[in-house]
Amino acid sequence: MTPLESAARSLCDTLDPMRFAAPVSHVYNPLDYAWAPNALYLQRFGQGKKKVIFVGMNPGPFGMVQTGVPFGEIAAVRDWMGIEAAVTKPAVENPKRPIEGFACPRSEVSGRRLWGLFAERFGSAEAFFADHFVANYCPLAFFDNGRNLTPDKLPAAEQGPLLAACDAHLRRVAEALEPDWVIGVGAWAEQRAREALGGMPVKFGRVLHPSPASPAANRGWREAATKQLVALGVWD
């Protein structure tokens, strides 16, 4: 088992007994039911030193929730990364957000934008992952029935143990990959990375979140993110 697989299994075991009160109706942990494609992702792309780690917030309902891969737009994972594996079901499935794995017909817009930029700039997945990696800070997806809830909206008493576990996991990822840069995808992810990795010899920055809920992202996310990364000195 690779260092990142070991870290992910440990995080999964730590998070598994955690419980969340209303309005959370369902919690999905793709490190559990979508472990097979997640393990392939970590084995194939999560080894060796990286220059840059991009850190997302938590899984989207049509991305990592379905494929086990961060920002896991199905076409990007299956066709660009060459990853496809069996996905089972969580113990309690949300009828408003069924798990269909790689058969899910919906598109994860954030993932399509993120991986689309990387594919356009680097060509192959192998070329991108030679110096880059993409991780999610929190692997859990939270739902209020059909509505997606983000971890920053949880009450402080529930956030505390969750953030502690996710901080520890991100440190293990950074220790294994020894990045020069850690880039938050969105402000919250950057803030969490700065707190989790305080004292480590890494530089921090962020890019605009590619969510379709963001008017700025809808006005040209690819150009905006590229401009931010060039301004930081992450990309030429």
Side-chain angles (χ1 to χ4, degrees), residues 2 19 26 40 60 79 92 100 116 136 146 195 219:
T2 67
R19 296 294 175 262
H26 297 80
L40 286 174
D79 304 333
V92 181
E100 301 169 280
N136 258 336
E195 293 200 27
R219 286 194 296 268

Side-chain angles (χ1 to χ4, degrees), residues 100-190:
E100 301 169 280
F102 286 83
C104 178
R106 299 284 295 271
S107 175
E108 178 81 1
V109 176
S110 294
R112 192 168 76 232
R113 288 172 171 171
L114 187 88
W115 296 116
L117 167 61
F118 299 154
E120 180 183 72
R121 187 174 180 91
F122 292 91
S124 69
E126 287 71 22
F128 169 74
F129 285 109
D131 282 324
H132 301 73
F133 187 69
V134 178
N136 258 336
Y137 172 75
C138 173
L140 301 183
F142 303 93
F143 299 101
D144 173 2
N145 294 300
R147 192 165 67 96
N148 196 38
L149 296 173
T150 50
D152 58 316
K153 301 297 193 293
L154 297 171
E158 292 180 351
Q159 276 196 47
L162 174 68
L163 301 187
C166 295
D167 283 356
H169 173 260
L170 187 58
R171 284 190 75 89
R172 288 183 68 177
V173 172
E175 286 163 359
L177 301 183
E178 302 178 78
D180 300 325
W181 284 94
V182 174
I183 303 296
V185 183
W188 190 82
E190 182 201 14

